[in-house]
Amino acid sequence: MEGTPTNHKELLQAVQQGQLSVEEGLDALKRLNADDLGFAQIDHHRAWRQGLPEVVYCAGKTVEQSVAILLRQAQVGSGPLMGTRAPRAVYDHLEGRGYDFEYDDEAHLVVLRRGVPEPQGQVLAVSAGTADGPILREAEVTAELMGAKVERLIDVGVAGLHRLLGHLDTLYAARVIIVAAGMDGALPSVIGGLVDVPVIAIPTSVGYGANFAGVAPLLTMLNSCAAGIGVVNIDNGFGAGYLAGLINRGGCP
Amino acid sequence: MEGTPTNHKELLQAVQQGQLSVEEGLDALKRLNADDLGFAQIDHHRAWRQGLPEVVYCAGKTVEQSVAILLRQAQVGSGPLMGTRAPRAVYDHLEGRGYDFEYDDEAHLVVLRRGVPEPQGQVLAVSAGTADGPILREAEVTAELMGAKVERLIDVGVAGLHRLLGHLDTLYAARVIIVAAGMDGALPSVIGGLVDVPVIAIPTSVGYGANFAGVAPLLTMLNSCAAGIGVVNIDNGFGAGYLAGLINRGGCP
Amino acid sequence: MEGTPTNHKELLQAVQQGQLSVEEGLDALKRLNADDLGFAQIDHHRAWRQGLPEVVYCAGKTVEQSVAILLRQAQVGSGPLMGTRAPRAVYDHLEGRGYDFEYDDEAHLVVLRRGVPEPQGQVLAVSAGTADGPILREAEVTAELMGAKVERLIDVGVAGLHRLLGHLDTLYAARVIIVAAGMDGALPSVIGGLVDVPVIAIPTSVGYGANFAGVAPLLTMLNSCAAGIGVVNIDNGFGAGYLAGLINRGGCP
Amino acid sequence: MEGTPTNHKELLQAVQQGQLSVEEGLDALKRLNADDLGFAQIDHHRAWRQGLPEVVYCAGKTVEQSVAILLRQAQVGSGPLMGTRAPRAVYDHLEGRGYDFEYDDEAHLVVLRRGVPEPQGQVLAVSAGTADGPILREAEVTAELMGAKVERLIDVGVAGLHRLLGHLDTLYAARVIIVAAGMDGALPSVIGGLVDVPVIAIPTSVGYGANFAGVAPLLTMLNSCAAGIGVVNIDNGFGAGYLAGLINRGGCP
Amino acid sequence: MEGTPTNHKELLQAVQQGQLSVEEGLDALKRLNADDLGFAQIDHHRAWRQGLPEVVYCAGKTVEQSVAILLRQAQVGSGPLMGTRAPRAVYDHLEGRGYDFEYDDEAHLVVLRRGVPEPQGQVLAVSAGTADGPILREAEVTAELMGAKVERLIDVGVAGLHRLLGHLDTLYAARVIIVAAGMDGALPSVIGGLVDVPVIAIPTSVGYGANFAGVAPLLTMLNSCAAGIGVVNIDNGFGAGYLAGLINRGGCP
Amino acid sequence: MEGTPTNHKELLQAVQQGQLSVEEGLDALKRLNADDLGFAQIDHHRAWRQGLPEVVYCAGKTVEQSVAILLRQAQVGSGPLMGTRAPRAVYDHLEGRGYDFEYDDEAHLVVLRRGVPEPQGQVLAVSAGTADGPILREAEVTAELMGAKVERLIDVGVAGLHRLLGHLDTLYAARVIIVAAGMDGALPSVIGGLVDVPVIAIPTSVGYGANFAGVAPLLTMLNSCAAGIGVVNIDNGFGAGYLAGLINRGGCP
Amino acid sequence: MEGTPTNHKELLQAVQQGQLSVEEGLDALKRLNADDLGFAQIDHHRAWRQGLPEVVYCAGKTVEQSVAILLRQAQVGSGPLMGTRAPRAVYDHLEGRGYDFEYDDEAHLVVLRRGVPEPQGQVLAVSAGTADGPILREAEVTAELMGAKVERLIDVGVAGLHRLLGHLDTLYAARVIIVAAGMDGALPSVIGGLVDVPVIAIPTSVGYGANFAGVAPLLTMLNSCAAGIGVVNIDNGFGAGYLAGLINRGGCP
Amino acid sequence: MEGTPTNHKELLQAVQQGQLSVEEGLDALKRLNADDLGFAQIDHHRAWRQGLPEVVYCAGKTVEQSVAILLRQAQVGSGPLMGTRAPRAVYDHLEGRGYDFEYDDEAHLVVLRRGVPEPQGQVLAVSAGTADGPILREAEVTAELMGAKVERLIDVGVAGLHRLLGHLDTLYAARVIIVAAGMDGALPSVIGGLVDVPVIAIPTSVGYGANFAGVAPLLTMLNSCAAGIGVVNIDNGFGAGYLAGLINRGGCP
């Protein structure tokens, strides 16, 4: 055999065919495992992740870095792809590079909708106020890319309870509910008390003063009297959408 | 003139009668103003405070100190009197000392109900959970001592919205509403959105973990989306009851 | 009867006239209740809110969003209307659109003064320093739109006690007092000890260092030794004005 | 008609039979809706909640209160029932009262296992250290009462990665994973990177110093680089178990 | 007498001359006291404050406001005057208005040095690093305006102890020492252990990360093991200079 | 010369008398400086500290440790000595050991009053409430041991301003004022605005809820609008008394 | 071949001998890698860890749990073993079980000194105050068990600089220095500025008030102006000792 | 003798030759010790610091200040020199001034590589994400200037464990490892569990929401379950590099 085996199959074949002794095979295996584990884990991972979107968090990166990573991901993979908190310039540089990227102005997302599973289930995305919109939008798109059918119900904060109670049917129809709320962050508690499906709560940084950029709704949500609520980081629309997407497809093999 | 004038009237008379020159009068006045302002302010104060309860905060005091202060207040005044966060021992020492003190086991209050104005208006005291009871009780008794008619509505937290919505009439009948809530502290927001009377919100230290002994509901209440809510310190039942009592009697001359 | 009843009256008429059986009526009622509750609650709400201002918080919205919502509110309602934390551009876009909006440069308010009740009662608006002015102004305008007669007393912080004590008559004349203070936030405690009317305390973000953008005065106010103080969020002039407005009109049926 | 209708059916019948006019019916309906919404919501609720456990949080209650509420719940319902953070004395008082309550010494739970659905799905309960055990146990029992098949994997903190990596199959077999971790709280991040099912993270108060009674792991979990993680309050085993239970049964109609 | 008396002397004269009866005098006195207390207190105050600088905190004010207040103070008083955190534009507007204002570029101070007492005593102003300079400068100027002789010792942070220990004589010669330090804020502890005069510690916001804009040195200084240290707010050079100025002149009648 | 020189004088004598060469002297000096610097600094220190009390903080020590250290200090020194936060048992063990220790039950102090300078100056110790008493007492005793004449003014919190204003003369007579206040901590601001002498502010841990064990008054004091205030750690009566003592004796050579 | 291969060698032999096809080999390999990585990592780990102590953190465990784990560790291993924060009862149960455990009363350590490498290098353990002793002791024992020669220098806080400067030689002789300090935590900064070896800083929870149980010294240490300082958790003596032990032996193969 | 001795040798000679009496010598010595200690310490310091880089923290300084200090350091010393957080303008002003300064665009460093010791040992610099790059770069350059051979391993965060596990050999080869991580900051815990060399953890401010600008990873690292980790301030690349550099050269005399 010419050269060292570059994957496990080659290695086993070389041992089988006597090109490597058992001891040489062990040596090669030791080295291969470290590197290969990575790639194998990626593959294995990929197999599992079939249909899950890749995401690039663009906030801490230059436009050039974001574009480069997104293009590489687009080449390597075949599934959906998303860049979050991406300035429009990222999208501008991606145009005409051979992929059908879209740009979401509200949520500052770069999105490549390919290989998205057929919509199923029902994810309901709810916001307390209009200012929570961009964060909720990020969650919606993420869930959509994971194959979720997504409904939305906006501006139904608890200070005007009738707005929420007028949509009980919509609430009852969901398999999982995402709730984005800033200010007092009380909406997930109320919704959690009305339904019996998982509620994913997103505290948003909407507010001022003792809101502390989202700390107030974060604490409210963590301390909710209603059971069945999972909380994500402040303004983490992607995280909430991803978790909702996993739950939504969870029981539908 | 014999001696220095001990009040303003004496001073003016002495000047009028030539016992003091204008310059001597100015000197005497300077000194008198400082002291007298105090006493005058006390009197004036008292006149205003007709019917308001005196309160002794017993938490940082020994039983002996609390008893002594309460007895002195009982002797000096003629209105209602209350000792908050008082261990039962305070009450035990007050018995048989000539005043009809009562003890409230739930709220740890020593109360002397005398000179309480005729109940009027309507203060509604609401709690989110049963554990908020002692704090709410402190608020109720305080408001009662200030002449408020007090209703209560307990255990109507937002995680079971139907419990609250089943009592809309009670909510609508109040002139001012006190709401005690721990955990997520979301109840004042919901009630504030339903009514158009002042809501006094008491965050309680009921909860655990990221509740931080009442900080979570405190922040929730300060950040409420509903207008018309005033917040008091964590577990400050007395403060809420006092403020509600002032509001309740406010417009009823 | 053609089609399903779209409101409760039609439903009852249909049952009365035998177009619907009792069972069919119950089914229709169940569905109607959910939706209708919302609208009914709005109406009922409106009835109660007679004379209360609508408010649009413009801080988290684009100029276009703020303008659109304010115009819609102006069309739908007939009472006073206010946009808080509105850049001047919002006002510029509202001019010549058929409503007499004004702009308050100090408090960054867009205001539509229509249907404001006759001024009554007495709300006293007090500031500790001149830098608290814009927040206090927001509170004043809010209270005015709710029909309160508003007085102001500015720059009377506790470090120069004579400035405050020179206006005791003004303090004593108020039915409710709003106090805005940054820095040490000590003014509400002093005023609360002088009067026997409700005090609404607004911590402002005026200060630096260990002020933590208003946290220091917020804590001071929550821990006030004086009874009868309700606290609102840092810089929440609107909330304080609204609560004061409710209290001011409270007892004057 | 004798008296006013006490439910919707009576009301419709009274209108149908002419005992009430349409206008009288509208008046009665308005009043009925408020109360009935509550009761209707309870019933509707119950229907939905079929098979969900009732829970009583005993921490803030006296033994007597806890016992009374648990007994009432036992009488009223027919499903599983649980008292969390219950001292053994609660269990002692419940013995011989006609219900088969059990006591879990590790998690301080009073449990009544009745009407528990047939175990299905797979909830994996993982702890970073042995000290996280009681919290994890609370989560496990909760999920079990909701009909989940529960596996456990304990003491597999990230400082000894081999302990975790030796159980990848167990990780891959789960439908939802609960992870309890104190100290640095890093375990959910590592697990979340290995699997593609929802991970429910419980920060525990295990630790000292800059752990701040669970704040450190709470923040770690909220900031996890891995997607698909929902966080509950510090030490909130019940909440995590409930959410996992909902997710586990979610897609299995 | 024509009209009502406008000060106490007029009042006493009017009573003395029979123009006012004692009762009329009491009425007039009551009203006068409130207003006059203010003015009297100002005068009294002024008498006491002989030689103390007036200060205008310009940070929260417009240039116009700052200029107007500074000019008014310049007209009314005759002592030193200072505007802190003043942009240069304030100084530009003050030029040519008849007062010899200076501008300190390092500390952003507008200063009017008039009526400054003869320098006496010894205030030593010490900084840990060069970046603490502007804050220290504010303290120095303040102390100078109060008549203190001021020495400075800069860049002697504890990480290079020899820099400090080389100036023990300077330390020992001071009557009061101001120490400005950011980062770890350890310098006051070391100096406080070397001397037996009051040390005024100023935490500065110099630092990054877990410095939290001055919180770290603030806590260090509050927890100092050395006795004799008083702490002022973060970056409060004026406050430290003022306190040092008071102490410096304290015992020299 | 027999042996190596044990102090600087011996060293110089040895060099003078030729027992040591210059080079040997330099070697000896190098080693001596390190050790001696310590002792010299102690001596020098002591010389300076003439009349300053030694203090032992007993809180973190066993009774045995506290007793041992106090006895050693009593033997070595000749000035006043104090043990703070000492349980009575410490005093009990000190009795009959040859020193006239006293025990202060209110402040938990062990005190040895010897070598105390003749009382001079005037330190005024003020408390806002009776619960601040023990902390204030610690400050008083400390100042007394440093030779200060100490006056006290207690229970004059700002919520009853007349109590304070009735003692203006006492305030004006002080050379330095210590103010202990918990709750809202507003008293130093008010006093600081009335006087022109240094004010040492002690935040106490008296309070509850959002008081955070003294953080609220600490922040209030750091943010005081009044100039001339130095703040010490929460409950640090000793530190305040020591600083006041230094200031009080400062200008009296 | 009988059964599946249990390690890599068996697997390769089976492939070599045709007992497994390449495809079967790949399947077996996939499964083996996961499990084996764990065990291999343990072995490899152990090999590396030769001479490193095992530690059991006893604080969150029952006496029974601690004893059981310590005994198991004693049986399995042959190196040093330590139980931290262990009540004496743990030691009592370990006596007479066949291992020479010792108990350290100061630091609450259970220690089994076996297989400890020959002392080398020089770790200097320094404390600011006597109350930091137990934490420092924990660090010392840990370093000793790792083969470090350990010196100690106690009670040399920066408020008495001469105490530290009298031991410069000791400081200069160390290869790595551990510094434990509570209160202001300034000692590591001063020492870090004097030496050029790694300094491991342990903030201790010694202090009160704004010390916040060690947060103040923690921040001081993180913000140190001196370079070369690594910080561990509050009161984490073990962690500091372990890190110092690693550094001490680091360059001495 | 003409004039006073300017160093210790002159002093001893003067005493030896009788030009100074012993008493005069003692006086001169006292004064000399203070000053000389400083200078001697500087020299001594320098001798020790041979090969250690000087660093100028440019963040709080003007470009002019930074340039002036860097040039002075360049002139005075002969070793490596570094300006951290320096805007490019600092470098621009340094060009053509006679020193071979370089500029690192990623880490914003001005570097003068002269007198750098021969690379030795092995420092491994690891980052969790690409956004941690600039901070890690600062650490690398610092270590390099101290004579360390530096390897890097980037973007190996724990959410993709295979990326890290693929480089175990690199991990095992290091003498000390620097780990920079933002977000959840979990990477040092995982690495610390895999290796037995010191790990220096840098929390970075990469993240959002409840990350609190690096507080989350800071707490994670302080609470790490793995032993052998020292933590530096948030974003303190220099500090980590310096500490790693000290450790790396530590054992190689």
Side-chain angles (χ1 to χ4, degrees), chain F residues 156-194:
Chain F
V156 294
V158 302
L161 211 52
H162 52 278
R163 293 179 299 183
L164 178 68
L165 296 183
H167 296 87
L168 287 176
D169 282 357
T170 309
L171 288 175
Y172 293 157
R175 178 174 288 175
V176 51
I177 302 178
I178 298 167
V179 187
M183 308 284 286
D184 55 20
L187 188 54
S189 287
V190 169
I191 290 180
L194 292 171

Side-chain angles (χ1 to χ4, degrees), chain G residues 118-193:
Chain G
E118 196 64 27
Q120 62 157 358
Q122 179 88 307
V123 170
L124 178 64
V126 185
S127 73
T130 47
D132 305 314
I135 298 302
L136 192 69
R137 181 78 189 128
E138 187 179 298
E140 290 172 42
V141 173
T142 305
E144 282 170 10
L145 294 187
M146 295 172 77
K149 208 162 79 189
V150 179
E151 285 283 307
R152 65 167 10 195
L153 188 54
I154 62 172
D155 202 16
V156 293
V158 301
L161 211 52
H162 52 279
R163 294 179 298 183
L164 179 68
L165 296 182
H167 297 86
L168 288 175
D169 283 356
T170 310
L171 287 175
Y172 293 157
R175 179 175 287 176
V176 50
I177 302 178
I178 298 168
V179 187
M183 307 286 283
D184 55 20
L187 188 54
S189 287
V190 170
I191 290 180

Side-chain angles (χ1 to χ4, degrees), chain B residues 158-206:
Chain B
V158 303
L161 211 52
H162 52 279
R163 294 179 298 183
L164 179 68
L165 295 182
H167 296 88
L168 287 176
D169 283 355
T170 310
L171 288 176
Y172 293 157
R175 178 175 287 176
V176 49
I177 302 178
I178 298 167
V179 186
M183 308 285 284
D184 56 19
L187 187 54
S189 287
V190 169
I191 290 181
L194 292 172
V195 303
D196 282 308
V197 294
V199 171
I200 311 305
I202 318 172
T204 72
S205 54
V206 172

Side-chain angles (χ1 to χ4, degrees), chain D:
Chain D
M1 184 199 189
E2 331 263 307
T4 52
T6 59
N7 60 35
H8 286 108
K9 191 169 185 179
E10 279 180 29
L11 189 155
L12 290 185
Q13 286 171 331
V15 171
Q16 192 189 41
Q17 295 159 18
Q19 290 165 331
L20 290 177
S21 71
V22 166
E23 279 65 31
E24 288 168 336
L26 276 173
D27 276 354
L29 191 54
K30 213 176 268 179
R31 168 160 287 273
L32 205 55
N33 268 349
D35 295 341
D36 239 14
L37 182 67
F39 281 95
Q41 207 123 2
I42 284 179
D43 289 350
H44 178 63
H45 231 61
R46 299 230 145 257
W48 267 83
R49 287 198 186 243
Q50 205 66 27
L52 293 190
E54 294 287 337
V55 68
V56 178
Y57 179 67
C58 300
K61 306 194 176 67
T62 64
V63 169
E64 290 69 30
Q65 286 179 311
S66 296
V67 168
I69 299 175
L70 283 163
L71 279 178
R72 184 161 52 86
Q73 297 267 30
Q75 291 160 352
V76 171
S78 61
L81 180 54
M82 182 166 49
T84 60
R85 307 201 179 187
R88 191 164 237 288
V90 170
Y91 170 67
D92 292 340
H93 283 71
L94 286 170
E95 278 197 293
R97 300 293 288 269
Y99 300 94
D100 289 334
F101 281 103
E102 310 160 21
Y103 189 69
D104 186 299
D105 269 308
E106 185 185 9
H108 299 278
L109 295 174
V110 169
V111 185
L112 180 55
R113 293 182 188 265
R114 69 174 182 196
V116 177
E118 197 63 26
Q120 61 157 359
Q122 179 89 307
V123 170
L124 177 64
V126 185
S127 72
T130 48
D132 305 313
I135 298 302
L136 191 69
R137 181 77 189 130
E138 188 180 297
E140 290 172 41
V141 173
T142 305
E144 282 170 9
L145 293 186
M146 295 173 77
K149 210 162 76 188
V150 179
E151 284 283 308
R152 65 169 8 198
L153 187 55
I154 61 172
D155 202 16
V156 292
V158 302
L161 211 53
H162 52 280
R163 294 179 299 183
L164 179 68
L165 296 182
H167 297 86
L168 287 176
D169 282 356
T170 309
L171 287 176
Y172 293 157
R175 178 176 287 176
V176 49
I177 302 177
I178 298 168
V179 186
M183 307 286 284
D184 57 17
L187 186 55
S189 287
V190 170
I191 290 180
L194 292 172
V195 302
D196 282 308
V197 295
V199 171
I200 311 305
I202 318 172
T204 72
S205 54
V206 172
Y208 62 90
N211 183 283
F212 303 127
V215 169
L218 171 61
L219 295 185
T220 309
M221 292 168 182
L222 287 169
N223 285 282
S224 176
C225 312
I229 299 178
V231 185
V232 298
N233 195 4
I234 298 163
D235 288 341
N236 188 3
F238 166 72
Y242 197 94
L243 178 53
L246 287 181
I247 295 171
N248 181 64
R249 67 172 200 165
C252 307

Side-chain angles (χ1 to χ4, degrees), chain A residues 32-96:
Chain A
L32 204 56
N33 266 351
D35 298 340
D36 239 15
L37 181 66
F39 281 96
Q41 206 123 0
I42 284 180
D43 288 350
H44 178 63
H45 231 62
R46 298 229 145 259
W48 267 84
R49 288 201 186 239
Q50 204 67 27
L52 294 190
E54 293 289 337
V55 67
V56 178
Y57 179 67
C58 301
K61 304 192 177 69
T62 63
V63 168
E64 288 70 29
Q65 286 178 311
S66 296
V67 168
I69 299 174
L70 282 163
L71 280 179
R72 184 161 52 85
Q73 297 266 30
Q75 290 160 354
V76 171
S78 61
L81 180 53
M82 183 164 49
T84 60
R85 306 199 182 188
R88 191 164 236 288
V90 170
Y91 170 67
D92 293 341
H93 282 71
L94 287 170
E95 277 198 294

